[in-house]
């Protein structure tokens, strides 16, 4: 996980519509950058729907939400349409940003060890500095927690 107080690494990824987004596009806004394992899985769906339901509140607080996984642009589009998601999903199939943000790790599931995305949420301030980092994310609670972080 990246250190709090460090500059968030710049990136450029395509969203669910194929449009490119750079982190620097969001200077002057708070950015909730969350990494999740896979579209259309139970935990990831809960987390995404939670962010989507609260998106107007995030916008009121001057924040944007960006979800990143290694799924394709097409997969993200289906995920967005199926659940009516109100925010940007970024596709990182080559894992460039996932690895830069140190969320590609060894995971244990039922005794089986594999590599995968560890659910992680970063809060980046208006100047591009990481002010919060959490790699012990509970999918269903994360959106509410991040909303509270914006007030603190």
């Amino acid at each position: 996980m990246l250190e709090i107080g460090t500059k968030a690494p710049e990136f450029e990824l395509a969203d669910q519509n194929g449009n490119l987004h750079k982190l620097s596009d969001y200077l002057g806004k708070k950015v909730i950058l969350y990494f999740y394992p896979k579209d259309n899985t139970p935990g990831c769906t809960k987390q995404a729907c939670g962010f989507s339901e609260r998106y107007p509140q995030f916008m009121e607080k001057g924040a944007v939400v960006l979800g990143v996984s290694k799924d394709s642009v097409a997969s993200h589009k289906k995920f967005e349409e199926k659940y009516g998601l109100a925010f940007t999903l970024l596709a990182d199939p080559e894992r460039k940003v996932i690895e830069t943000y140190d969320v590609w790790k060894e995971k244990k599931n039922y005794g089986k060890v594999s590599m995968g995305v560890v659910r992680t949420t970063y809060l980046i301030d208006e100047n591009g500095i990481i002010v919060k980092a959490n790699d012990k994310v509970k999918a269903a609670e994360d959106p509410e927690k991040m909303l509270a972080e914006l007030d603190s």
Side-chain angles (χ1 to χ4, degrees), residues 77-101:
K77 188 68 189 166
K78 284 185 196 135
F79 190 42
E80 175 208 34
E81 287 174 348
K82 184 173 180 181
Y83 295 101
L85 301 178
F87 62 94
T88 303
L89 298 172
L90 298 173
D92 188 15
E94 285 91 46
R95 301 195 317 256
K96 285 190 185 102
V97 178
I98 287 168
E99 291 186 22
T100 301
Y101 277 78

Side-chain angles (χ1 to χ4, degrees), residues 45-83:
T45 299
K46 270 194 192 105
Q47 188 177 21
C49 289
F51 276 121
S52 191
E53 284 161 20
R54 294 168 182 81
Y55 199 63
Q57 293 160 275
F58 285 109
M59 288 175 64
E60 277 170 27
K61 296 176 192 290
V64 296
V65 176
L66 303 173
V68 182
S69 80
K70 63 184 186 66
D71 293 302
S72 67
V73 168
S75 173
H76 280 349
K77 188 68 189 166
K78 284 185 196 135
F79 190 42
E80 175 208 34
E81 287 174 348
K82 184 173 180 181
Y83 295 101

Side-chain angles (χ1 to χ4, degrees), residues 3-147:
E3 293 288 312
I4 290 171
T6 60
K7 187 145 186 57
E10 178 61 277
F11 61 78
E12 183 175 60
L13 290 173
D15 69 12
Q16 66 267 39
N17 299 309
N19 301 318
L20 291 176
H21 293 255
K22 290 188 199 142
L23 183 59
S24 54
D25 294 342
Y26 298 99
L27 284 173
K29 288 185 185 275
K30 292 182 175 105
V31 177
I32 291 158
L33 182 66
Y34 84 94
F35 293 87
Y36 65 98
K38 192 153 180 47
D39 290 344
N40 285 303
T41 55
C44 298
T45 299
K46 270 194 192 105
Q47 188 177 21
C49 289
F51 276 121
S52 191
E53 284 161 20
R54 294 168 182 81
Y55 199 63
Q57 293 160 275
F58 285 109
M59 288 175 64
E60 277 170 27
K61 296 176 192 290
V64 296
V65 176
L66 303 173
V68 182
S69 80
K70 63 184 186 66
D71 293 302
S72 67
V73 168
S75 173
H76 280 349
K77 188 68 189 166
K78 284 185 196 135
F79 190 42
E80 175 208 34
E81 287 174 348
K82 184 173 180 181
Y83 295 101
L85 301 178
F87 62 94
T88 303
L89 298 172
L90 298 173
D92 188 15
E94 285 91 46
R95 301 195 317 256
K96 285 190 185 102
V97 178
I98 287 168
E99 291 186 22
T100 301
Y101 277 78
D102 196 29
V103 299
W104 185 253
K105 304 247 192 226
E106 199 173 85
K107 296 166 75 170
K108 287 185 178 76
N109 197 7
Y110 302 111
K112 187 175 156 269
V113 177
S114 62
M115 294 298 288
V117 173
V118 173
R119 194 182 305 278
T120 305
T121 304
Y122 289 100
L123 176 57
I124 300 165
D125 75 6
E126 294 85 348
N127 304 309
I129 304 298
I130 297 170
V131 291
K132 286 279 178 215
N134 181 10
D135 65 354
K136 306 260 186 291
V137 175
K138 289 186 170 54
E141 297 168 12
D142 194 38
E144 198 57 48
K145 256 191 163 146
M146 293 315 294
L147 209 48

